[in-house]
Amino acid sequence: MPLWASLTPIAAAALLIGALVLPGSIALAITCVAALLGAVIAAVHHAEVIAHRLGEPFGAMVLAISITSIEVALIVRADAHRRSGPCNAAARYHLSAIMIICNGVIGLCLLVGALQHQEQCSR
């Protein structure tokens, strides 16, 4: 595991704590955006390592779920900034996206397996 993949999320968390304590500025906002991008890249790298170890089709599901989780977290944060209170719609979107991805991967595996073995029976 590369050192940057471990240190980037730690640095981003420390920067987040600093941003919560200090008043906002343009330089701090730019640094926070850079740290967020680095943390997202590190998270995707970790998911890719896990996906490579798991193999197909579970690796594809791990990658899809990790990317979907990152996207939903960013959307929820942007939406929570506009209004206060919990965002139940984003949780439903996240769950539906995970279910669609998992069902699609399972369906594709069943289709490829049936075509490869030329049999479609359930026992």
Side-chain angles (χ1 to χ4, degrees):
M1 187 71 58
L3 186 60
W4 67 267
S6 299
L7 293 181
T8 304
I10 294 170
L15 187 61
L16 173 66
I17 292 170
L20 291 174
V21 173
L22 299 173
S25 69
I26 297 296
L28 183 61
I30 291 172
T31 309
C32 285
V33 168
L36 177 65
L37 288 174
V40 166
I41 290 171
V44 171
H45 174 74
H46 287 295
E48 189 175 348
V49 169
I50 292 170
H52 182 69
R53 289 183 184 173
L54 287 177
E56 291 293 331
F58 300 113
M61 286 194 325
V62 166
L63 282 172
I65 290 171
S66 67
I67 291 171
T68 304
S69 300
I70 290 170
E71 289 174 356
V72 168
L74 292 173
I75 291 169
V76 167
R77 179 62 193 124
D79 192 43
H81 180 69
R82 282 190 274 149
R83 60 187 159 108
S84 60
C87 187
N88 292 331
R92 287 193 302 267
Y93 294 147
H94 190 199
L95 179 63
S96 64
I98 289 174
M99 291 186 68
I100 289 169
I101 291 167
C102 290
N103 287 331
V105 170
I106 290 170
L108 185 65
C109 290
L110 289 172
L111 179 66
V112 169
L115 290 174
Q116 183 179 1
H117 297 289
Q118 295 167 351
E119 112 181 24
Q120 293 178 345
C121 65
S122 59
R123 297 178 189 210

